[in-house]
Amino acid sequence: MSDNLSENQRLVDTVLFQLVAILPETKLSLPQSIEVHFASSIEEFHDNDYSIIGCVLPYKIYQNGKKLRDGQLKVSNWGNRGEPASVYEDAFSRFLIFDIKKQNTSKFNMLTQFGFHKFLNARYKRLLHEYKILGVSKDSKQQILHTLENVFRLQTTTDSVILPTVEIRENECTNLLPLIELLLIIGLVKEYFRGRLPEIHI
């Protein structure tokens, strides 16, 4: 982040507006015959006192043509391990939050989240790449990283996954889809090792 709060906000909102434009009706083909189908339209949401700004895009997860779960991608000003509001001009944080519906209920578990304050390099107009695995036990973390590297062929370190470095450009956003794909893969593998997604085959 830079000291220029207006520039921080402009860069992150450029990414968010691009995602809102390209993700509806998108179908992602992931390794292990996993597909993610995003809905055709984005809805506003205000699900708690912290969600002052927010929208949600539903999606469905399939494997080998069989539906596994419903999910939702939220753009929210609130997430776990919160971001200082002072980094943006309007004092609202920016998070991408990937959720998945719990079995036999209308409630959701969080797959994973992306807090822009941890990744924005405003000087070089890019999102940085080191994504730490948090919120799981030490043993689960090692299983998750091992699976991401050996099954999904992602680059990992002792506690992180290396995401693509995303250049933030006003008129080009195709490099955002690989980021979304990897965040979904990470979330699905984490959920599997938490024991909350037993129907997936990895």
Side-chain angles (χ1 to χ4, degrees), residues 140-178:
S140 292
K141 180 186 292 187
Q142 293 312 307
Q143 290 178 307
I144 290 165
L145 290 168
H146 177 82
T147 300
L148 290 171
E149 183 170 346
N150 291 280
V151 176
F152 290 91
R153 304 301 179 193
L154 304 187
Q155 184 182 351
T156 66
T157 67
T158 56
D159 65 352
S160 301
V161 182
I162 305 303
L163 300 175
T165 299
V166 176
E167 305 288 342
I168 301 174
R169 303 188 181 101
E170 297 287 345
N171 300 313
E172 199 278 314
C173 57
T174 56
N175 59 355
L176 292 175
L177 287 180

Side-chain angles (χ1 to χ4, degrees), residues 20 23-25 38-44 56-58:
V20 166
L23 281 181
E25 296 189 327
F38 286 97
S40 59
S41 61
I42 291 177
E43 307 161 8
E44 289 189 9
V56 60
L57 178 62

Side-chain angles (χ1 to χ4, degrees), residues 28-125:
L28 302 178
S29 295
L30 310 180
Q32 304 298 302
S33 300
I34 299 169
E35 291 186 344
V36 179
H37 298 188
F38 286 97
S40 59
S41 61
I42 291 177
E43 307 161 8
E44 289 189 9
F45 86 100
H46 304 279
D47 65 352
N48 58 48
D49 292 339
Y50 300 98
S51 296
I52 300 167
I53 60 171
C55 62
V56 60
L57 178 62
Y59 59 80
K60 299 180 186 299
I61 301 170
Y62 297 84
Q63 188 174 37
N64 296 314
K66 179 182 178 181
K67 180 183 169 183
L68 300 182
R69 296 283 182 92
D70 291 317
Q72 59 184 16
L73 169 59
K74 294 191 293 188
V75 178
S76 177
N77 69 289
W78 177 85
N80 291 339
R81 304 174 192 90
E83 161 184 351
S86 59
V87 299
Y88 298 118
E89 188 174 40
D90 64 7
F92 293 149
S93 302
R94 270 91 168 145
F95 282 86
L96 294 178
I97 300 173
F98 295 84
D99 289 333
I100 191 169
K101 188 170 282 186
K102 295 180 180 180
Q103 283 185 310
N104 305 315
T105 179
S106 61
K107 296 182 179 180
F108 288 84
N109 287 324
M110 186 174 71
L111 276 177
T112 195
Q113 69 176 8
F114 187 91
F116 284 92
H117 61 295
K118 295 183 179 180
F119 298 95
L120 178 65
N121 184 317
R123 179 180 180 184
Y124 294 104
K125 299 182 180 179

